[in-house]
Amino acid sequence: MINKDSSIPLYIQIKDVWKEQIERNLLKPGDQIPTENELCKLYDVSRITVKQAINSLVNDGYLVRSRGKGTYVKPPKLEQNLAGVTSFTEDMIRRGLKPGATLLNTEVETAEPDIAARLQLGDGARVIKVQRLRLADGQPMAIETIWLPYHLCPTLLQEDLTTSIYQILKNQYKIVFNRAVQYLEASKAEKREAKLLQIEPGDSVLEMERQSYMKDNVPVEFTQSVYRGDKYKFRVELSGQ
């Protein structure tokens, strides 16, 4: 409980109580906490004090509000390490989650000038374009659009593209990525993106561009992805001199 004689502000004491329960896993992701009125009665404090405590827990990523429904323990964000060339599928399996994908579009097309330049292809070269909704335990996580040189994997569209494309490229075409360059940018979800990701238009998303190379420094993949900002975070480990 809380100590009204303490020099620590009441809202911080209330916050610490709920923070400890979440960190000790006494409250699990998706669990609903009591209403503001119930918390006021429980701790015999004002509504303003309760609001301060909840707002602080929301801002720190412990709780999430659902309009018209209540306040819930927020699931932890999935983390991807940017230090290595790994696939979405590998990341999900490593976290004990079931990876998946819903195909949104697949086609062979003439490369647009910017795509041709990124993949070092000549005018009129063909590319394979695959757009997928990436899933973790059935929940939408990202919208992913991949372009690959057609001549390197001409029968790719005959494969099961709801699985790992990286594994297909490795197993069927002996294509192994040696390095990749990635760019990240914060953005807001557009209407179509929000619908696919099951979020609201204008919600925060992470836009990523990734260009991957084989060991001979030949570009083999260009990908644009839109990740849910509330579900995903990226990690970079830096070393000293």
Side-chain angles (χ1 to χ4, degrees):
M1 297 300 289
I2 62 173
N3 181 4
K4 292 188 176 182
D5 295 325
S6 172
S7 60
I8 301 174
L10 293 176
Y11 85 92
I12 291 180
Q13 293 187 55
I14 295 172
K15 171 189 174 181
D16 287 344
V17 169
W18 290 92
K19 178 180 175 181
E20 181 182 6
Q21 291 191 59
I22 294 170
E23 290 181 339
R24 291 177 59 192
N25 210 32
L26 299 176
L27 288 173
K28 301 185 184 303
D31 285 352
Q32 186 174 9
I33 70 166
T35 65
E36 291 183 1
N37 284 336
E38 290 170 337
L39 290 172
C40 289
K41 293 177 181 178
L42 177 63
Y43 296 110
D44 189 24
V45 295
S46 69
R47 196 179 185 107
I48 292 176
T49 297
V50 167
K51 277 185 176 292
Q52 284 181 299
I54 292 176
N55 287 340
S56 185
L57 287 163
V58 169
N59 291 337
D60 288 352
Y62 288 95
L63 298 177
V64 60
R65 289 188 176 93
S66 179
R67 191 176 303 169
K69 295 182 178 180
T71 305
Y72 299 83
V73 178
K74 187 175 182 180
K77 290 186 177 182
L78 297 177
E79 181 180 285
Q80 180 180 339
N81 186 358
L82 295 182
V85 183
T86 59
S87 69
F88 179 92
T89 298
E90 291 170 328
D91 287 331
M92 295 307 102
I93 292 174
R94 189 163 56 245
R95 288 162 179 75
L97 302 174
K98 182 181 179 180
T102 299
L103 286 178
L104 303 175
N105 181 50
T106 62
E107 60 183 310
V108 177
E109 62 180 15
T110 300
E112 296 289 337
D114 60 325
I115 300 299
R118 289 181 180 277
L119 296 176
Q120 296 181 11
L121 300 173
D123 294 341
R126 292 193 295 173
V127 291
I128 293 174
K129 179 181 178 182
V130 178
Q131 187 174 64
R132 306 185 293 178
L133 180 65
R134 303 313 309 267
L135 310 171
D137 281 351
Q139 297 297 311
M141 298 299 298
I143 303 167
E144 174 188 81
T145 307
I146 303 174
W147 290 267
L148 300 152
Y150 176 79
H151 71 275
L152 291 179
C153 47
T155 60
L156 180 66
L157 296 188
Q158 299 174 21
E159 305 288 343
D160 180 6
L161 300 182
T162 63
T163 61
S164 171
I165 288 181
Y166 280 20
Q167 283 300 312
I168 294 172
L169 293 174
K170 179 180 178 180
N171 296 334
Q172 300 297 327
Y173 306 99
K174 310 305 178 186
I175 295 173
V176 178
F177 298 151
N178 183 58
R179 68 181 185 91
V181 178
Q182 293 190 151
Y183 296 92
L184 294 173
E185 184 176 359
S187 186
K188 300 293 184 181
E190 297 178 357
K191 187 175 181 179
R192 177 177 179 270
E193 294 169 343
K195 184 177 180 180
L196 289 169
L197 294 173
Q198 298 179 13
I199 57 178
E200 296 295 325
D203 281 357
S204 296
V205 294
L206 290 169
E207 294 186 352
M208 184 195 77
E209 288 190 352
R210 175 169 177 160
Q211 188 158 341
S212 303
Y213 300 81
M214 293 187 286
K215 63 180 180 180
D216 51 6
N217 217 35
V218 173
V220 69
E221 171 215 28
F222 177 65
T223 298
Q224 291 180 330
S225 302
V226 179
Y227 287 85
R228 286 182 58 159
D230 65 332
K231 294 283 189 181
Y232 224 85
K233 64 181 178 180
F234 294 87
R235 179 173 67 91
V236 179
E237 185 172 331
L238 305 175
S239 59
Q241 295 289 335

